């Protein structure tokens, strides 16, 4: 299957007549495309970037053989059986279970907030039934909050550390066990053949054509790509809504991320995939070390090189990659206005993290796409 194609000719691609258009080839759009093809529809997938996969896109580094997650670490996890069986139709997962460590004042702690962290931080040996009583003392819960949440949250959202609301700590789930699995979901992993293979197989159908470097826009009531007007068929769009409507009410606020990657001449830099740096003074939030996502690949694991990537959050401006929606009353109201505009466009279905202006894990994107009512 070709993932990029030549120019479209009129309302057909090659000799194929189109029944539906999917604009945006992230995990939401590719799941929708596959559902449409499974239902016998002929689908044209249009993707603005040079390749499919959205923010889950990876690249294998030729020198080290390491699969680099181009837009930050992505671990597939779900407790929804329909989602798990759907993705397993296309790829097998390696069973990787995600653990996250926190670096604070030069010491390493296991997240989430559980017995391993509490006992090391306070130098105690609590048993499970002693955790709640121990943390009832507010000076202790505040000390944990200041060390692990205040600085990290201030960097993530661009706030002063003293402005991070302490009520957050009351909502952080506490585990009274040594379970250091970051997610509660039983099903977890990374595709054995890499994330890109998931997208290639989702789109691998004679009824799906894919055109990359093709940004869809709405102009005078018609969907267009370059100089071509698209056929009047259902459009499943997972790009940003403010952009689709020319930012007519203003731009929706986002946080963006800058990633700095480095190839290092050591076999193993940090001994795990992700370390959070929780102090406000450290300018990045996390270091990702991608080779740890494929422990089954002994050959790559043993090579004397590794790749690390530092993650720096910052304010978003037009033209930057949008990563995290900024949830506040004003952004919710702005988004509602754009959603109202979208509802008035015939044949338009909006979804995904950009279209829905909300943070969605991959499984939630797949679940939403599986539940979507397809247009006739
Ligand atoms: C830093 C970070 C880490 C994450 N880690 C995890 C994780 O570990 N596990 C997990 O489950 N989830 C994770 N996620 C969430 C995951 O990235 C999303 O669930 C997923 O990307 C959502 O897929 P999507 O298809 O909605 O959006 P996207 O992946 O953003 O795909 C949308 C696609 O639409 C294209 N597009 C936009 N506008 C247009 C247009 N006008 N025309 C054509 N194409 C267009 C874009 O180029 C893009 O390819 C993480 C997110 C972030 C920000």
């Amino acid at each position: 299957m070709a993932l990029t194609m030549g120019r479209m000719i009129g309302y057909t691609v090659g000799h194929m007549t189109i029944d539906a258009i999917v604009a945006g080839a992230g995990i939401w759009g590719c799941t929708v495309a596959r559902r449409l093809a499974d239902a016998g529809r002929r689908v044209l997938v249009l993707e603005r970037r040079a390749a499919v996969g959205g923010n889950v896109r990876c690249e294998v580094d030729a020198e080290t053989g390491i699969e680099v997650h181009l837009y930050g670490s992505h671990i597939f996890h779900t407790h929804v059986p329909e989602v798990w069986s759907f993705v397993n139709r296309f790829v097998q997962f390696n069973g990787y279970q995600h653990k996250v460590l926190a670096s604070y004042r030069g010491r390493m702690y296991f997240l989430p907030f559980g017995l391993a962290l509490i006992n090391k931080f306070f130098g105690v040996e609590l048993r499970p039934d002693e955790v709640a009583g121990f943390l009832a003392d507010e000076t202790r819960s505040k000390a944990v909050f200041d060390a692990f949440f205040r600085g990290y949250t201030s960097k993530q959202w661009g706030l002063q550390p003293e402005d991070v609301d302490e009520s957050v700590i009351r909502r952080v789930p506490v585990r009274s066990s040594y379970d250091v699995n970051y997610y509660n979901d039983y099903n977890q992993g990374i595709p054995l053949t890499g994330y890109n293979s998931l997208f290639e197989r989702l789109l691998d159908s004679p009824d799906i054509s894919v055109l990359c470097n093709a940004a869809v826009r709405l102009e005078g009531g018609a969907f267009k790509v370059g100089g071509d007007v698209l056929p009047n068929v259902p459009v499943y769009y997972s790009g940003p809504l403010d952009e689709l409507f020319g930012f007519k009410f203003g731009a929706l606020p986002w946080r963006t991320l800058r990633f700095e990657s480095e190839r290092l001449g050591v076999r193993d830099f940090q001994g795990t995939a992700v370390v959070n740096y929780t102090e406000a003074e450290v300018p990045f939030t996390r270091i990702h070390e991608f080779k740890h996502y494929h422990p089954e690949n002994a050959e790559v694991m043993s090579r004397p090189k590794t790749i690390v990537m530092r993650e720096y959050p910052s304010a978003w401006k037009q033209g930057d990659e949008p990563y995290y929606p900024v949830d506040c009353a004003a952004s919710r109201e702005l988004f509602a206005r754009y959603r109202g505009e979208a509802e008035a466009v015939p044949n338009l279905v909006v979804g995904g993290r950009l279209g829905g202006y909300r943070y969605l894990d991959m499984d939630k994107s797949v679940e939403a796409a599986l539940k979507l009512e397809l247009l006739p």
Side-chain angles (χ1 to χ4, degrees):
M1 179 203 48
L3 281 188
T4 52
M5 293 190 51
R7 234 181 81 82
M8 279 178 293
I9 309 150
Y11 291 174
T12 59
V13 173
H15 298 295
M16 189 167 111
T17 305
I18 302 304
D19 299 319
I21 287 166
V22 169
I27 201 160
W28 184 86
C30 291
T31 304
V32 172
R34 167 53 68 160
R35 277 194 63 207
L36 287 161
D38 286 349
R41 320 268 174 87
R42 288 148 303 181
V43 192
L44 173 61
V45 177
L46 298 166
E47 167 54 49
R48 177 214 303 274
R49 291 181 184 159
V52 300
N55 278 10
V56 190
R57 183 84 195 165
C58 291
E59 201 171 86
V60 176
D61 176 59
E63 194 174 326
T64 58
I66 294 169
E67 181 187 30
V68 175
H69 301 200
L70 296 175
Y71 301 91
S73 281
H74 278 76
I75 300 94
F76 201 96
H77 58 97
T78 189
H79 59 266
V80 183
E82 293 77 16
V83 169
W84 190 237
S85 62
F86 178 77
V87 290
N88 275 276
R89 260 177 70 189
F90 304 96
V91 285
Q92 251 188 300
F93 287 80
N94 67 356
Y96 168 83
Q97 301 277 305
H98 196 42
K99 315 263 187 312
V100 177
L101 282 101
S103 165
Y104 175 68
R105 295 198 178 159
R107 300 198 73 193
M108 300 289 266
Y109 299 86
F110 269 108
L111 292 172
F113 190 9
L115 262 186
L117 182 147
I118 295 163
N119 280 347
K120 182 165 180 182
F121 185 65
F122 290 104
V124 293
E125 291 297 336
L126 299 178
R127 292 190 312 272
D129 59 355
E130 293 170 325
V131 171
F134 185 81
L135 291 174
D137 178 340
E138 277 201 14
T139 55
R140 291 179 180 141
S141 52
K142 184 175 180 314
V144 172
F145 177 73
D146 287 345
F148 297 102
F149 297 96
R150 190 186 288 284
Y152 191 88
T153 309
S154 71
K155 290 189 282 188
Q156 183 84 345
W157 296 103
L159 303 167
Q160 291 303 315
E162 55 277 16
D163 292 338
V164 176
D165 186 359
E166 282 180 26
S167 65
V168 170
I169 191 71
R170 285 190 277 279
R171 299 198 298 269
V172 174
V174 183
R175 284 188 191 162
S176 57
S177 72
Y178 282 104
D179 177 6
V180 290
N181 206 326
Y182 194 67
Y183 299 117
N184 291 320
D185 297 325
Y186 179 70
N187 300 303
Q188 284 185 45
I190 309 287
L192 277 167
T193 43
Y195 275 108
N196 294 353
S197 66
L198 169 64
F199 293 96
E200 282 156 18
R201 293 172 195 177
L202 276 167
L203 297 173
D204 188 10
S205 158
D207 289 326
I208 299 177
S209 298
V210 183
L211 190 65
C212 289
N213 299 308
V216 173
R217 64 187 197 283
L218 186 59
E219 222 174 71
F223 286 99
K224 294 184 180 173
V225 167
D228 291 318
V229 177
L230 295 171
N232 188 20
V233 294
V235 174
Y236 297 85
Y237 175 83
S238 55
L241 276 191
D242 51 359
E243 185 189 305
L244 191 68
F245 295 103
F247 300 100
K248 64 198 267 190
F249 305 130
L252 288 161
W254 293 87
R255 293 287 290 167
T256 192
L257 299 173
R258 180 168 59 81
F259 294 108
E260 274 179 14
S261 296
E262 215 182 334
R263 204 184 282 115
L264 300 175
V266 292
R267 191 183 61 80
D268 190 352
F269 172 72
Q270 61 184 17
T272 193
V274 175
V275 176
N276 288 4
Y277 284 76
T278 63
E279 289 154 273
E281 299 72 36
V282 179
F284 48 85
T285 46
R286 314 193 263 182
I287 298 184
H288 311 258
E289 186 175 9
F290 298 108
K291 81 185 333 189
H292 292 288
Y293 287 125
H294 284 284
E296 79 284 0
N297 194 337
E299 197 272 312
V300 168
M301 287 300 283
S302 68
R303 289 196 199 175
K305 286 191 178 172
T306 191
I307 294 180
V308 296
M309 188 161 98
R310 288 179 176 76
E311 178 175 325
Y312 297 83
S314 63
W316 175 90
K317 57 181 181 338
Q318 238 161 289
D320 289 342
E321 200 59 60
Y323 281 96
Y324 295 108
V326 179
D327 182 33
C328 60
S331 68
R332 283 195 292 271
E333 192 192 324
L334 186 56
F335 178 67
R337 294 181 77 185
Y338 282 118
R339 201 178 43 210
E341 292 286 300
E343 279 163 7
V345 178
N347 265 345
L348 173 63
V349 179
V350 178
R353 66 176 194 103
L354 296 167
Y357 190 61
R358 61 194 174 129
Y359 179 85
L360 282 177
D361 273 329
M362 289 182 277
D363 65 323
K364 295 295 169 213
S365 300
V366 172
E367 187 181 17
L370 290 178
K371 285 187 172 156
L372 193 71
E373 205 170 311
L374 301 178
L375 294 182

